[in-house]
Amino acid sequence: MTIYNFYCAGVFEGKIRFTDDKVMHAKVDARRRTQMQENVLNERAKYVLPLSKIREALPLYRKTEWAGERVNIENGETYHRHLTYQDESGRVSQVWAKRQDTAVDIVTLDGEIIAFLCPNRYGMELIVQEGYEKLTPLVVYDDPQLSKPEYGVNELGTFLVPMRDGVQLATDVYLPEGIQFGTRLPTILVRTCYDRHLRKESCLRWANKGYAVVNQDVRGRADSEGDLVPFYYEREDGSDTIDWIIAQNWSNGDVGMWGASYLGYVVMAAATSGHPNLKAVVNEVNVGTPFVDTVRRGGTVCSWPLLSWTLAQSVGTRTDFDIFGGITVDPAKAVEARPLREIPQQMIGKSSGPWDMWSQHPEYDDYWRGCTHSERAHQIQAPMFVISGWYDGDSPGVSETWRLLSEHDVPNRKIWLGPWEHGPNRARDLQGVAFGEDAVVYDYDANVLRWFDHFLKGVNNGIDQEPRARYYVVGENKWRTSEDWTPTESAVAPFYLSSNGRANSAFGDGTLSTSLPVEARTDVYVYNPADPVADSGERVPENRRSIELRQDVLCYTGEKLTEEIIVAGELSAVLYASSSAVDTDWVVSLSDVDEADNSILLSSYIVRAKYRRGYDNPELLTPGQVERFDIFMPNIAHRFPAGHRIRFSVTSSSKFVAFPNSNTGLNPYDEQEAIPATQTIHHSEQYPSHILLPVLV
């Protein structure tokens, strides 16, 4: 019988024992840190490490020969040889990196399994046979300058914290148990729309390490009062909550914030309040402001990414994750429902407060201005650690955040970009793209803790002296660093669009090169809102090969590369275009075309034409008149190998990203008859349409 010690984020959480049909768990009491009686693992236990699946596969793992460079398990799982660890006695272990799926890695010693582990954003989880801890990635927590799990957790209970307008927000406080009486502590604040109990355990682990932790439901969610008006109140509510924290007798006045996704918007909003006691922020995969990322991406009306979240928030005060995951609401039906303002009634049988609010503000006005970070970015003072990846659907928000931090030269800003999805640090393979074994890192949460330790506890751990940017180059499968992002080693180069007038589809004559077009030409296509492009809508390495067969997709493809090119940084495009309509949309994409003509998506963005001079300055098109469109595109770090081609494409729809533009210029939330538009892309010396790529030199 093997008993494993169970660690979460470096905190001992008890013992695990596998029987033939059960997972037995002897928990540690959270407050007193004493061992409790063994019981069957609660099926609702919120652990990332899939303990039940490990138990089921354990006989297969144990009979496998762990040798060579690659190990195939009978159940179809594949493992690659990865890191080794050596302890003081000279024993050397081997870590095996899981491929093709969520990383649940295995550690062996002399061919025998001693540990299982699952890295993730909330804290690496690991079970290990007692005495073998030093032979596993658990050693990342041994850094002498890293806060240690020396305390239990004293849950003070729930407080109803009043905001400036009298609305009270449900707020839990966790303090380190065993800390000397009267000690004033730095605080980590988390404000969530997903119920503060959902990730409570990750909050407790900061308290284990000597922090006061405040865990709060934003207004209108879970146990907080008020109505959810997404984005609108987060700046003031964050600032008011910090005011409450620093007035408590356990606070030393220094506050940090952590947030991811919508919670990332929340921490960015609090930072733009300029609160002087906000001393450190960790901002992961953050949602951007509404006209950049979420509600009105590029001025359009977002479709499924927005609908899934909004409908999930609208059925009650707690999120319905079955709606969010597209299980109980069919994404295809949702994005085709009309009129837009009535979609919630059709999909969930009731109205949605947020959806109704947005439909009442079809243009950029004071409501949207109050939600936009750039309006107050000059007030940001807190050092911010930004974390995201190339496959994060909210990467436009991440790029916005970094642009604002850079424009206002916020001190001690830092960015970490990996080959990661919206749930970062999960897997080493994604839709046929294979990364290196180190694409999943073991020090993810340790670096988050280092950030807080330095800026909240004053630990001189050197994180502020490290390069400002750390990023992973896909294709090269290598981590790089730079003194800034976009990397200082990159030189921005224009790649110009050209053709003989027939760039329609991948079989057309569109070209992409570093030379200006010799002759003035145009490419024309008809955009029909009734037949929109149906790509996935996700930021994934999607193969666009079938999409690029369409005549309403213009493709501009470079020659086969004679040597590799690495593009790393923020992207943008300049499009000179005209339309027969008074308003329309432009969708631009960058892809890597391999020798087999697979066109793998790298970056894409959509913009509404009437906002070409700013969201606060809408102006309809004059049909047939050429206009310049400056288009942001999400960041990448990608190696184009020799023999591949670079492709830039242009179309006017992406139905799972945004509802198709009716081309009428009318309120998009109202029912209306859409009309086709004839679209013309210009490329010449006078109208040099191009994409700007930051090429590593």
Side-chain angles (χ1 to χ4, degrees):
M1 179 181 67
T2 304
I3 298 177
Y4 297 90
N5 288 342
F6 189 17
Y7 296 87
C8 300
V11 180
F12 179 64
E13 295 286 2
K15 295 182 180 294
I16 294 291
R17 180 172 64 88
F18 298 114
T19 70
D20 289 341
D21 60 348
K22 295 182 180 65
V23 179
M24 306 301 295
H25 185 197
K27 282 179 66 79
V28 168
D29 177 78
R31 181 165 186 173
R32 296 171 181 82
R33 303 303 297 163
T34 54
Q35 188 77 56
M36 298 171 67
Q37 184 177 349
E38 183 183 68
N39 287 289
V40 176
L41 180 71
N42 190 326
E43 292 182 358
R44 293 178 295 176
K46 296 172 183 175
Y47 296 125
V48 176
L49 193 63
L51 295 167
S52 294
K53 290 183 179 180
I54 291 172
R55 181 197 62 77
E56 292 171 3
L58 198 56
L60 296 180
Y61 295 145
R62 283 175 171 165
K63 76 176 188 177
T64 298
E65 183 182 1
W66 294 92
E69 296 300 314
R70 176 187 175 112
V71 172
N72 296 312
I73 312 297
E74 288 182 12
N75 61 6
E77 295 176 3
T78 300
Y79 288 83
H80 289 184
R81 182 180 291 272
H82 189 22
L83 303 176
T84 60
Y85 290 90
Q86 184 172 348
D87 66 8
E88 294 177 352
S89 67
R91 296 180 299 183
V92 178
S93 65
Q94 178 63 57
V95 179
W96 299 88
K98 188 175 183 179
R99 304 296 312 208
Q100 306 300 331
D101 201 351
T102 297
V104 181
D105 296 347
I106 288 175
V107 186
T108 61
L109 177 65
D110 299 328
E112 300 295 325
I113 295 173
I114 60 171
F116 297 86
L117 66 137
C118 187
N120 70 95
R121 69 145 66 111
Y122 300 108
M124 179 169 59
E125 296 185 1
L126 180 146
I127 57 172
V128 56
Q129 294 181 38
E130 187 166 355
Y132 294 103
E133 281 85 351
K134 301 297 184 184
L135 292 168
T136 75
L138 194 64
V139 297
V140 299
Y141 300 104
D142 290 344
D143 181 346
Q145 294 183 308
L146 201 65
S147 287
K148 297 296 182 287
E150 300 173 330
Y151 307 98
V153 180
N154 179 12
E155 299 189 33
L156 295 192
T158 300
F159 300 82
L160 293 177
V161 177
M163 301 295 101
R164 63 189 65 180
D165 61 356
V167 170
Q168 299 183 103
L169 305 188
T171 307
D172 291 347
V173 177
Y174 319 127
L175 299 182
E177 174 71 9
I179 204 89
Q180 186 175 349
F181 179 77
T183 301
R184 292 182 176 269
L185 301 165
T187 303
I188 298 175
L189 168 63
V190 178
R191 305 187 63 247
T192 180
C193 61
Y194 299 119
D195 189 334
R196 68 193 187 282
H197 297 113
L198 183 64
R199 293 292 178 186
K200 174 180 174 180
E201 289 77 10
S202 62
C203 294
L204 296 179
R205 291 162 196 156
W206 284 319
N208 289 134
K209 296 166 185 173
Y211 288 92
V213 181
V214 174
N215 190 15
Q216 182 182 76
D217 293 323
V218 302
R219 67 170 63 204
R221 306 309 298 151
D223 299 315
S224 285
E225 296 178 351
D227 296 318
L228 174 67
V229 183
F231 311 106
Y232 191 71
Y233 291 103
E234 307 302 3
R235 181 180 299 105
E236 289 78 9
D237 286 356
S239 180
D240 292 351
T241 302
I242 295 172
D243 281 341
W244 180 83
I245 289 171
I246 62 177
Q248 305 308 302
N249 60 11
W250 40 260
S251 169
N252 71 356
D254 292 337
V255 179
M257 291 187 73
W258 176 91
S261 195
Y262 184 81
L263 285 65
Y265 174 91
V266 166
V267 301
M268 183 64 176
T272 63
S273 76
H275 200 295
N277 294 83
L278 182 60
K279 299 297 179 64
V281 171
V282 175
N283 193 355
E284 301 183 17
V285 295
N286 72 280
V287 165
T289 51
F291 267 73
V292 171
D293 182 25
T294 47
V295 185
R296 301 294 304 275
R297 178 177 292 195
T300 67
V301 179
C302 281
S303 55
W304 181 244
L306 173 67
L307 271 175
S308 62
W309 186 86
T310 307
L311 298 179
Q313 305 295 330
S314 299
V315 294
T317 60
R318 286 174 168 81
T319 305
D320 186 330
F321 287 98
D322 285 341
I323 294 177
F324 202 2
I327 298 171
T328 52
V329 171
D330 183 349
K333 290 182 179 179
V335 301
E336 292 176 358
R338 297 294 185 276
L340 298 193
R341 68 170 71 241
E342 296 178 8
I343 290 177
Q345 290 91 330
Q346 296 180 45
M347 293 298 108
I348 61 174
K350 61 180 294 187
S351 63
S352 161
W355 195 263
D356 289 346
M357 171 68 73
W358 297 328
S359 67
Q360 293 163 14
H361 297 271
E363 296 295 347
Y364 191 88
D365 56 14
D366 285 344
Y367 168 77
W368 298 111
R369 193 168 284 110
C371 303
T372 302
H373 295 324
S374 60
E375 299 282 343
R376 294 170 182 80
H378 61 280
Q379 298 183 146
I380 300 174
Q381 303 176 44
M384 188 175 297
F385 189 4
V386 178
I387 306 175
S388 181
W390 316 130
Y391 310 109
D392 172 19
D394 283 310
S395 55
V398 174
S399 288
E400 176 197 35
T401 293
W402 190 253
R403 174 176 57 79
L404 294 176
L405 296 178
S406 299
E407 283 182 0
H408 297 283
D409 196 22
V410 176
N412 291 306
R413 61 189 182 273
K414 187 178 183 68
I415 192 165
W416 191 9
L417 298 164
W420 298 331
E421 305 154 90
H422 194 60
N425 201 38
R426 185 191 68 85
R428 300 176 173 96
D429 301 88
L430 183 62
Q431 292 195 195
V433 178
F435 315 122
E437 319 304 349
D438 62 350
V440 172
V441 300
Y442 297 139
D443 61 352
Y444 188 101
D445 64 294
N447 275 305
V448 170
L449 183 59
R450 289 178 68 220
W451 190 258
F452 287 135
D453 281 351
H454 180 76
F455 290 105
L456 295 181
K457 289 187 176 180
V459 177
N460 187 20
N461 55 25
I463 196 167
D464 59 322
Q465 302 299 315
E466 295 172 357
R468 177 166 284 165
R470 182 185 180 195
Y471 63 98
Y472 191 90
V473 179
V474 175
E476 185 183 44
N477 288 352
K478 176 181 175 181
W479 287 100
R480 290 177 178 249
T481 60
S482 179
E483 293 308 311
D484 208 348
W485 183 260
T486 293
T488 56
E489 300 81 11
S490 290
V492 176
F495 285 70
Y496 296 98
L497 282 55
S498 184
S499 77
N500 288 319
R502 188 68 183 168
N504 309 73
S505 86
F507 294 101
D509 59 16
T511 62
L512 190 70
S513 75
T514 55
S515 300
L516 274 167
V518 176
E519 297 184 52
R521 300 282 190 180
T522 60
D523 291 300
V524 178
Y525 66 93
V526 175
Y527 157 52
N528 183 358
D531 182 27
V533 172
D535 50 11
S536 71
E538 301 290 337
R539 192 178 182 196
V540 292
E542 178 179 14
N543 191 343
R544 294 175 54 84
R545 187 169 181 169
S546 60
I547 293 168
E548 292 170 351
L549 297 176
R550 295 176 57 126
Q551 292 298 299
D552 59 354
V553 178
L554 303 181
C555 296
Y556 300 91
T557 311
E559 295 291 333
K560 285 188 177 182
L561 296 171
T562 57
E563 57 184 29
E564 70 174 37
I565 290 179
I566 295 177
V567 175
E570 302 291 335
L571 314 181
S572 64
V574 176
L575 210 60
Y576 290 90
S578 58
S579 175
S580 64
V582 296
D583 192 26
T584 195
D585 290 345
W586 305 112
V587 181
V588 294
S589 302
L590 177 71
S591 59
D592 180 346
V593 182
D594 66 17
E595 293 92 337
D597 289 331
N598 296 302
S599 181
I600 306 303
L601 178 66
L602 302 177
S603 179
S604 183
Y605 198 64
I606 186 170
V607 294
R608 185 141 293 182
K610 72 175 182 178
Y611 297 115
R612 62 196 178 279
R613 292 184 174 87
Y615 297 123
D616 56 352
N617 187 27
E619 182 181 332
L620 294 177
L621 299 171
T622 299
Q625 181 172 303
V626 182
E627 298 280 3
R628 172 176 170 142
F629 299 89
D630 291 276
I631 304 173
F632 149 86
M633 297 179 70
N635 52 29
I636 66 170
H638 182 81
R639 171 183 171 267
F640 294 87
H644 284 213
R645 293 172 291 163
I646 302 172
R647 177 171 292 163
F648 179 76
S649 65
V650 181
T651 189
S652 290
S653 60
S654 178
K655 69 183 288 187
F656 287 103
V657 171
F659 292 101
N661 194 325
S662 66
N663 298 322
T664 63
L666 300 175
N667 185 339
Y669 290 96
D670 292 337
E671 191 164 15
Q672 56 197 267
E673 184 175 348
I675 60 173
T678 300
Q679 317 285 57
T680 305
I681 303 301
H682 299 254
H683 36 80
S684 64
E685 278 193 83
Q686 182 181 5
Y687 300 124
S689 294
H690 60 276
I691 181 172
L692 292 163
L693 299 181
V695 178
L696 283 184
V697 294

